[in-house]
Amino acid sequence: MTLGTAVFLLVLAVAGIVLAFRYLREKPKLRIVCLVLLFLIVLVLAGYIALTLVFVGAASNQPPA
């Protein structure tokens, strides 16, 4: 997965969280399930993005051999 794809999916997941809060007020169990899944997706994607940035930074700042 490219970094751009991960950022795009992260934005979609955050938008899903906002929409779940807004439109699933009448169904609290479904809202909780959706929010938990979306929060897990956000955590995984944020970790992936952070690790990608760390590894790219480490590779670009590598001392000459």
Side-chain angles (χ1 to χ4, degrees):
M1 176 179 350
T2 64
L3 184 61
T5 304
V7 170
F8 177 70
L9 290 175
L10 180 69
V11 169
L12 286 179
V14 170
I17 291 171
V18 171
L19 292 175
F21 269 119
R22 181 176 290 173
Y23 293 113
L24 293 177
R25 290 183 191 260
E26 294 83 26
K27 300 178 181 180
K29 289 185 181 182
L30 179 62
R31 183 178 66 191
I32 290 171
V33 170
C34 288
L35 289 176
V36 167
L37 289 175
L38 288 168
F39 275 119
L40 288 175
I41 291 170
V42 165
L43 286 175
V44 169
L45 287 170
Y48 177 82
I49 292 168
L51 285 175
T52 301
L53 293 175
V54 167
F55 289 147
V56 167
S60 65
N61 293 328
Q62 198 173 25

